Amino acid sequence: MSEKRVSSSDMKLVVVGAGGRMGQALIRAIHEIDGARLAGAIARIGSPLIGRDAGEVAGVGPLGVVIRDDVLPVFADAEGVLDFTSPAATVEFAKLAAEAGIVHVIGTTGCSEAYDEKIRTAAARAPIVKSGNMSLGVNLLSVLVEKAAKALGPDDFDIEILEMHHKHKVDAPSGTALLLGEAAAEGRGIDLVSQSVRSRDGHTGARENGTIGFATLRGGSVIGDHSVILAGAGERITLSHHAEDRTIFARGAVKAALWARGRKPGLYSMRDVLNLND
Ligand SMILES: NC(=O)C1=CN([C@@H]2O[C@H](COP(=O)(O)OP(=O)(O)OC[C@H]3O[C@@H](n4cnc5c(N)ncnc54)[C@H](OP(=O)(O)O)[C@@H]3O)[C@@H](O)[C@H]2O)C=CC1
Ligand SMILES: O=C(O)C1=N[C@H](C(=O)O)C[C@H](O)C1
C-alpha cells in the first residue's frame, strides 16, 4: 500500500464521483495532505469502478479503500465529503451529508436556483463549503475584481467576463465566471441576475451601461482560463487567472474540509475559508 503518515486525529473524508477528473485529483490531494485521510470513495450505482481500489484508480497505488455505491454506511463512518459531481447528485449528497451531520464541500457547478435552495436547507443542519472555484488564485482575483468594479463606475467602464474550458465541460457560463460576475456586481452594488448578458447574437443593439457580459469558449484540454475585462474609453484593464493543473482545486477542497471541521452549520464560501473577506 502507498505510504502516508497517519494519525488517529486525521479527518476522515469521502470522495464522491471518485472516478471523475476531479474525483481522482481529490484522492491524490487527500493522500498528500497531512491531517486528512481517505475514508471512503463513492461512484454511481452500476459503475465499472465499484470494487476497485480508489488509490489505484487515482494513480497513487493501493490505499485499501474500495470504491462503493452504498452511500449511507460510508457517510456514517466519515467526517466530511468532497463532492465534484453533477447538480442532481450534489443535492442528494447534501441531504445525506446533513442527515449524517458531516462537512460537505461542494465544487459542483451549474446548480439551478432550485438546487441551491435545497443546498441552503441542508446547510441549516451541517457545515457546507460551496464555491465555483476552490483555488486560492481565483478567490483572490474575486477580491480584486470587486475592488476594481467599485472604483471604476458603469458610466466609464464596461465589464465583460471571458472563460475557456476543455471540451467535456457541460455547464456555461462556468461557476468561476459567475463567481467573478457576483464579485463585480457586489462591487457595483447591483443585482447580477437582472444585469447580466449571457449571450449575444445577431442585431443586439448597443451595449447597455452597467450590464455585465459573459462569453464562453470550449475546446481541447483547457483546465480553466478566466478574464475579467474592464473596458473604458481609450484603455482596458484585464484581470486574469489560468489554471494549469486540477491539483489547485483539489488542495483547496481538502483545505476547506479541514477548515469546516467542528464549525457550526451554515453555508460558507472559499473566501471564508481563505479569510479573504473584509
Ligand atoms: N469548484 C471548483 O473548483 C471546480 C469545480 N469543478 C466542477 O466539478 C464538477 C465535476 O467536474 P469533472 O470532475 O471535470 O467532471 P467528471 O465528469 O470527470 O466527473 C464527475 C463525476 O461525478 C460522477 N457522478 C455523477 N453523478 C453521480 C452520482 N449520482 N453518484 C456518484 N457519482 C456520480 C460521475 O460518474 P459517471 O462518470 O459514472 O457519470 C463522474 O465520475 C463539474 O460541475 C465541474 O464544473 C471542476 C473543477 C474545479
Ligand atoms: O469543469 C471544470 O473543469 C471546471 N469547473 C469550474 C467552473 O465551472 O468554473 C472550475 C474550473 O474552472 C474547472
Side-chain angles (χ1 to χ4, degrees):
M1 279 201 229
S2 292
E3 290 298 316
K4 184 187 178 184
R5 198 150 28 106
V6 288
S7 157
S8 56
S9 61
D10 287 347
M11 187 175 186
K12 293 189 283 176
L13 297 176
V14 177
V15 173
V16 292
R21 283 177 286 272
M22 278 306 299
Q24 294 183 46
L26 290 163
I27 291 165
R28 292 192 290 272
I30 292 170
H31 184 58
E32 74 175 32
I33 293 175
D34 286 341
R37 175 159 68 83
L38 186 70
I42 296 290
R44 185 197 289 285
I45 293 170
S47 165
L49 297 175
I50 304 300
R52 300 259 321 265
D53 186 282
E56 285 192 332
V57 169
V60 289
L63 294 174
V65 176
V66 164
I67 299 180
R68 298 164 55 167
D69 59 11
D70 51 341
V71 180
L72 282 180
V74 177
F75 279 20
D77 194 31
E79 296 169 272
V81 50
L82 307 184
D83 177 355
F84 291 62
T85 56
S86 68
T90 289
V91 290
E92 291 306 315
F93 291 134
K95 191 164 160 279
L96 298 175
E99 280 164 13
I102 61 176
V103 170
H104 189 187
V105 176
I106 302 176
T108 308
T109 57
C111 293
S112 63
E113 178 47 37
Y115 280 162
D116 276 338
E117 182 56 35
K118 289 186 177 180
I119 290 167
R120 282 192 288 273
T121 301
R125 299 176 65 186
I128 295 181
V129 182
K130 181 173 186 284
S131 177
N133 195 302
M134 299 279 172
S135 73
L136 171 62
V138 158
N139 284 282
L140 179 61
L141 182 69
S142 77
V143 175
L144 302 178
V145 167
E146 188 176 329
K147 284 191 195 308
K150 187 174 183 180
L152 307 172
D155 293 339
D156 297 321
F157 282 84
D158 303 316
I159 301 179
E160 295 282 313
I161 301 177
L162 174 66
E163 57 111 333
M164 181 162 188
H165 282 86
H166 54 92
K167 64 184 181 186
H168 304 291
K169 187 162 177 61
V170 293
D171 55 307
S174 69
T176 309
L178 293 170
L179 177 160
L180 295 170
E182 285 291 356
E186 182 70 29
R188 287 262 168 101
I190 59 169
D191 168 54
L192 181 65
V193 174
S194 60
Q195 292 301 302
S196 60
V197 176
R198 297 283 199 100
S199 64
R200 296 187 180 100
D201 186 25
H203 187 86
T204 61
R207 193 183 196 287
E208 204 178 306
N209 272 6
T211 53
I212 296 177
F214 290 85
T216 299
L217 307 179
R218 292 285 176 266
S221 59
V222 178
I223 290 184
D225 288 351
H226 292 89
S227 292
V228 178
I229 302 159
L230 295 108
E235 59 181 335
R236 207 158 62 244
I237 298 166
T238 305
L239 299 168
S240 296
H241 181 268
H242 303 281
E244 295 173 356
D245 195 306
R246 289 187 174 84
T247 305
I248 59 172
F249 313 129
R251 287 197 189 125
V254 176
K255 186 171 186 155
L258 294 171
W259 176 89
R261 188 186 203 184
R263 279 191 198 262
K264 62 180 193 309
L267 184 57
Y268 301 98
S269 71
M270 274 312 275
R271 273 169 70 158
D272 296 321
V273 173
L274 298 167
N275 202 16
L276 291 172
N277 288 320
D278 295 332

